């Protein structure tokens, strides 16, 4: 077993399709497809629920949950009214989760693998789909250069990265 990953590791792949509104920064996740290697699932319904839950948790990490701090480092958005956790509207409209078939794990109990939070990282597919949608929007207005775009992909980050010329200083004048 030398040089191999632990036999209890899970692996997965995800692809997401999104649509953005460059004027508001709103977006919709139209579809996400996930394939996850869980070995031989002891209870597929529980494994699929774990995968869906971890994906939504990761969606918060990559898209909605932004910590805002004062100049003194104090947390400014510490309640549900100001800290944007994922909601039902953030779940992909079409959400397909598949368990990789015939994936034996001869090193574990009943040939299973752990699930837990590893699928959280699959929600990065939404973040990168948003980034590609922004790239497309920028190209349509002639902005062809590379751009920085870091998580979380909040409404404000999406809107401003799309390349509009509206700035807060202009509004306040």
């Amino acid at each position: 077993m030398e040089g191999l990953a632990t036999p209890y590791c899970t692996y997965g792949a995800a692809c997401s399709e999104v649509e953005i509104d460059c004027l508001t920064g709103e977006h919709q996740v139209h579809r996400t497809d996930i394939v996850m290697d869980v070995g031989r699932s002891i209870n597929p319904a529980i494994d699929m629920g774990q995968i869906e839950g971890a994906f939504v948790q990761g969606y918060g990490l990559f898209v909605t949950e932004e910590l805002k701090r004062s100049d003194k480092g104090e947390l400014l958005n510490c309640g549900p009214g100001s800290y944007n956790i994922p909601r039902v509207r953030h779940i992909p409209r079409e959400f397909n989760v598949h368990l990789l078939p015939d994936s034996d794990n001869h090193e574990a109990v009943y040939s299973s693998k752990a699930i837990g939070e590893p699928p959280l990282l699959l929600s990065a597919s939404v973040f990168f789909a948003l980034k590609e949608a922004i790239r497309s929007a920028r190209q349509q207005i002639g902005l062809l250069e590379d751009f920085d775009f870091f998580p979380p992909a909040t409404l404000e980050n999406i809107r401003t990265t799309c390349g509009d010329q509206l700035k807060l200083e202009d509004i306040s004048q």
Side-chain angles (χ1 to χ4, degrees):
M1 194 81 175
E2 186 176 323
L4 297 176
T6 176
Y8 225 60
C9 287
T10 60
Y11 302 92
C15 184
S16 294
E17 178 184 319
V18 302
E19 181 178 350
I20 60 172
D21 181 333
C22 292
L23 296 176
T24 64
E26 288 279 351
H27 72 278
Q28 176 65 53
V29 183
H30 289 294
R31 178 179 177 155
T32 294
D33 293 286
I34 296 174
V35 177
M36 195 79 191
D37 174 8
V38 299
R40 291 247 183 225
S41 179
I42 295 171
N43 187 327
I46 289 176
D47 288 342
M48 292 175 80
Q50 283 289 117
I51 293 165
E52 292 167 348
F55 181 88
V56 173
Q57 180 184 4
Y59 176 92
L61 173 70
F62 289 112
V63 180
T64 64
E65 299 175 19
E66 181 178 34
L67 296 175
K68 295 183 180 180
R69 299 193 179 272
S70 71
D71 293 337
K72 296 179 182 179
E74 299 163 330
L75 189 59
L76 297 174
N77 57 340
C78 54
S82 60
Y83 185 74
N84 193 9
I85 61 172
R87 295 175 178 82
V88 170
R89 68 182 173 94
H90 295 122
I91 295 171
R93 289 183 179 173
E94 186 177 339
F95 198 4
N96 302 305
V97 177
H98 302 281
L99 304 180
L100 187 66
D102 302 320
S103 178
D104 289 332
N105 180 13
H106 300 291
E107 305 292 325
V109 176
Y110 296 113
S111 197
S112 66
K113 291 186 178 181
I115 295 296
E117 293 178 351
L120 177 147
L121 296 175
L122 298 178
S123 56
S125 66
V126 172
F127 174 79
F128 289 111
L130 290 168
K131 185 172 183 178
E132 287 306 309
I134 292 167
R135 182 181 317 282
S136 177
R138 290 170 60 90
Q139 288 173 349
Q140 290 178 24
I141 60 171
L143 298 174
L144 305 177
E145 70 276 357
D146 286 337
F147 60 97
D148 290 333
F149 188 66
F150 302 104
T154 61
L155 299 174
E156 181 181 359
N157 290 344
I158 291 171
R159 190 190 65 75
T160 56
T161 307
C162 279
D164 70 14
Q165 301 304 313
L166 183 63
K167 298 184 181 111
L168 291 177
E169 304 94 52
D170 297 336
I171 295 171
S172 63
Q173 294 177 354

